[in-house]
Structure formats: structure tokens, C-alpha cells
Amino acid sequence: MLEDRERFSQTLASWFKHEGRQDLPWRTTRDPYAILVSEVMLQQTQVVTVLSRGYYTNWLEKFPDVATLAAAKEEEVLKMWEGLGYYSRARNLQKAAQAVIENHDGIFPTSPEEVRALPGVGRYTAGAVCCFALGLPEPIVDANVARVLARLMDFHQPVDSTSGIKQLWEWATECVPETDSYHYNSGLMELGQRICKPKAPDCGICPVKNWCTCDSPEKLPIKKERRKTIHRDEHSLYAVSEGKILLHREPERRRQGLWRLPERTSNEIAGLPLAAKMKYSITHYRVTLHVYEITGAKAREDEAWHSLESLASLPMPSPYRRALETVQESFLLQP
Ligand code: SF4
């Protein structure tokens, strides 16, 4: 364990107070709902993306509190999340808001156990909400914190293994101070984002370099072997008739409730003109999306015709939105 933990946490908290980014919108609020939204958004999306496209501020304008979110239509919720991916996060946020209304009379819970019991809220998110909104001395371990702790401790086990995760949480718990956990945890996260970066960490300007025990930080953290990338082709239709477009509503968990271009087998699209081709990634899949123009298509199960005017308001995964834009632009350019 780190020597003189108290001075370590004070040093990090003090560094954050003087050097940390205080202007981020989720750092100017102590509203637990707003903090929860930011934490869930930032789970698989970079700060710069969340900020540059206004996802966080737009979400809070549309759903300023748990009551508004709890009562919203699922399609509205998914639409506001469009482009962020991992749509179960949006659905879980709404379920969490509904649980606050139903189980806590609309008042956000204030104990770590109750926060943790909300749908979609794991140990990290509960710790972040309790620390950043409620000021509780709760530990947090996200990817940035895991990297910083692994390097500080010169930890040579996979940080994503069961024993590695357990060890990191133990260290995080031992280090979090009873007072001012807000600045300490914020400092730990920001250190990982700005100084103790995955590649080429700036050890020379690191505020806690005196505590760091590793010689080769670039080699840490160690991670389990990644799943192999699988390449696949996807054949979809661009079917427009009488001002309407045929779309498929995803019934499956990952994109459930979102609309996309209807998929067909390679045999079914044989001979159809190719209207667009593009690549996208989802988890460990690298997909080449082929879009074919077709006339006289018939709607199948989970498919429906929508007016072209309504297209912009329907929730749609980004790859299909981009594919549609490409197809429509190419039609506009045709002589
Ligand atoms: S000294 Fe370098 S490796 Fe160690 S915590 Fe600081 S930035 Fe990371």
C-alpha cells in the first residue's frame, strides 16, 4: 500500500483544486440526477464527444429532472441518445428515474446502497454519484483510475481480471479520504485523463510521482487478451415509395426500440443496385454495410413504412443515419 496515504490524497486533491478542469458542466452541479446522467454518458463516450455535440446539455434541457425522464416516451429517450451508442444506458437511465419516483417518492436516494440498487447503476457509477453529488467518501475505479493505480502500485496482473478488479477496488477504498473525497477522486480521474495517459505519461509533471513505484509505466496496465475481431457484411435496403421509407424496428436488447434500414440476405439483394457502402464497428465486429436501392419492397415482421418527413425524429443508430444521408446526398447529386 502507498506510504503516507493522507499526504498522498491531500496532494492529489490540492493539485485538482489548482490545476483541474472546473469548467466541465457536471463539475458545476451537485444535483445527483445530473451527475448520474454525466457518469452514464461518459461510461463509453469520450468527454470531448459528450461536450462537442451537446449531448449532456441537450439531455438536461429535455429531461431536467427524474420526473420528466421517468414520464418520457422511450422513443424520445432513445432519440436524445442517438449517436452515443450502447442504448441500454439510456433505457437504464429512464428505469433509474422511474425507480426514484416509485421507490423514493421522487427524491434521489442518499445512501450508497440505495443508489447502487437503481437500475443500471454499478459500483463505479454509484461511487461517483455518492462522491461527486453527495460528498460521501466512496471509492471509484474507472479505466483512468485503474491505470493510475496499476502504475502507482506497479501492478502486473490484468486489471480487468476478477482478482485484478478486486485488488484495485481495495486500493481505491484504502486511499479515499474521509474528508474532501470530491477533490481527491476528481484528481485521480483527471490525472489519468491528462497526465498518466495510456501512451507517453507525463511523469515529469505528475503531482504524485514521489509515490509512484513503476519503472516502465507505458507497459502498464496489463489487460486480458482481447476478443478477436470478426468481419461481417450487412446487406440493407433503401426502399422508398410514395414519400415513405421502409424501416425495421430492432427487437433485440442492444438496439431495442431503434429504427434501422431493413436487412436482407445476400441472395435476396442479388442484382439490386448498390446505393452506398460504408464501414462501422460494434463491440468486436467490423461491419461493412451495403445499402441497395429497391422498388416494390414488402414490409416484414418488425418493419413499417414511415414518412420521409418523420425520419429525422426517429431514433436510429448512427451507422444507418450516416448511410441514409450518403444515399440521399448521392440522389441529390444525380443529374
Ligand atoms: S509518475 Fe507517471 S506513471 Fe506514475 S502515476 Fe504519475 S504519471 Fe502515472
Side-chain angles (χ1 to χ4, degrees):
M1 191 52 228
L2 292 175
E3 279 185 22
D4 198 354
R5 269 178 280 163
E6 204 172 318
R7 204 159 62 80
F8 167 78
S9 58
Q10 281 169 359
T11 303
L12 203 46
S14 166
W15 173 77
F16 179 79
K17 279 184 209 167
H18 294 103
E19 306 280 338
R21 282 194 69 181
Q22 317 287 350
D23 59 333
L24 298 171
W26 43 88
R27 288 196 177 143
T28 59
T29 179
R30 294 291 180 272
D31 174 4
Y33 163 70
I35 302 275
L36 175 66
V37 171
S38 72
E39 290 300 336
V40 173
M41 267 188 191
L42 292 167
Q43 271 167 20
Q44 268 111 354
T45 312
Q46 295 199 334
V47 171
V48 65
T49 309
V50 168
L51 288 179
S52 64
R53 300 197 205 149
Y55 284 112
Y56 179 71
T57 41
N58 291 345
W59 179 280
L60 287 180
E61 265 173 37
K62 178 91 176 165
F63 311 120
D65 47 40
V66 284
T68 330
L69 178 58
K73 286 186 187 148
E74 189 190 56
E75 203 151 278
E76 279 180 295
V77 174
L78 295 174
K79 180 65 195 166
M80 290 305 292
W81 203 264
E82 187 177 300
L84 284 167
Y86 298 95
Y87 290 85
S88 59
R89 293 184 292 165
R91 277 191 291 272
N92 279 335
L93 259 181
Q94 187 176 34
K95 285 184 196 154
Q98 288 163 345
V100 172
I101 298 291
E102 285 162 23
N103 306 335
H104 302 278
D105 295 328
I107 298 167
F108 210 93
T110 52
S111 78
E113 296 73 28
E114 287 172 320
V115 176
R116 181 82 195 270
L118 295 173
V121 173
R123 189 172 181 183
Y124 164 77
T125 309
V129 170
C130 290
C131 173
F132 299 138
L134 309 170
L136 299 176
E138 288 295 307
I140 52 169
V141 178
D142 69 350
N144 285 314
V145 174
R147 183 171 59 257
V148 172
L149 290 176
R151 287 172 175 174
L152 280 167
M153 305 303 206
D154 202 22
F155 186 51
H156 286 257
Q157 284 182 36
V159 290
D160 47 356
S161 65
T162 307
S163 60
I165 293 167
K166 186 167 175 277
Q167 178 62 78
L168 292 172
W169 276 100
E170 277 173 23
W171 283 327
T173 306
E174 287 165 10
C175 287
V176 71
E178 275 299 312
T179 55
D180 206 11
S181 61
Y182 179 95
H183 290 106
Y184 165 75
N185 275 333
S186 301
L188 200 54
M189 291 175 73
E190 190 143 332
L191 188 73
Q193 285 160 6
R194 286 176 37 204
I195 310 264
C196 196
K197 296 169 289 189
K199 288 177 192 162
D202 287 328
C203 300
I205 57 165
C206 176
V208 291
K209 59 177 180 279
N210 291 344
W211 281 270
C212 192
T213 57
C214 73
D215 294 326
S216 308
E218 316 77 30
K219 293 184 181 161
L220 294 176
I222 292 168
K223 291 192 182 161
K224 288 194 295 191
E225 216 176 301
R226 281 190 168 190
R227 279 210 275 179
K228 268 193 180 165
T229 302
I230 297 174
H231 294 270
R232 65 176 291 254
D233 289 292
E234 190 177 311
H235 304 289
S236 293
L237 300 181
Y238 179 76
V240 171
S241 174
E242 297 175 2
K244 292 187 171 178
I245 182 165
L246 185 63
L247 296 176
H248 171 89
R249 192 166 198 263
E250 291 274 10
E252 287 174 19
R253 202 173 62 91
R254 186 178 292 279
R255 290 168 169 171
Q256 192 186 350
L258 283 101
W259 293 93
R260 48 159 287 185
L261 297 174
E263 193 174 358
R264 295 292 185 263
T265 65
S266 52
N267 284 342
E268 288 170 316
I269 51 82
L272 292 175
L274 185 67
K277 182 177 164 182
M278 50 171 289
K279 292 181 189 293
Y280 72 91
S281 300
I282 183 161
T283 63
H284 61 296
Y285 291 98
R286 298 287 174 274
V287 183
T288 304
L289 171 63
H290 309 258
V291 183
Y292 301 89
E293 196 188 344
I294 185 171
T295 49
K298 297 265 184 296
R300 294 181 180 174
E301 190 181 353
D302 293 321
E303 294 178 358
W305 292 93
H306 292 265
S307 72
L308 285 167
E309 289 80 43
S310 69
L311 210 46
S313 64
L314 294 173
M316 183 174 283
S318 302
Y320 304 101
R321 182 71 70 194
R322 278 188 282 125
L324 266 177
E325 284 166 5
T326 305
V327 174
Q328 290 176 330
E329 274 167 25
S330 73
F331 286 165
L332 283 176
L333 292 174
Q334 280 178 10

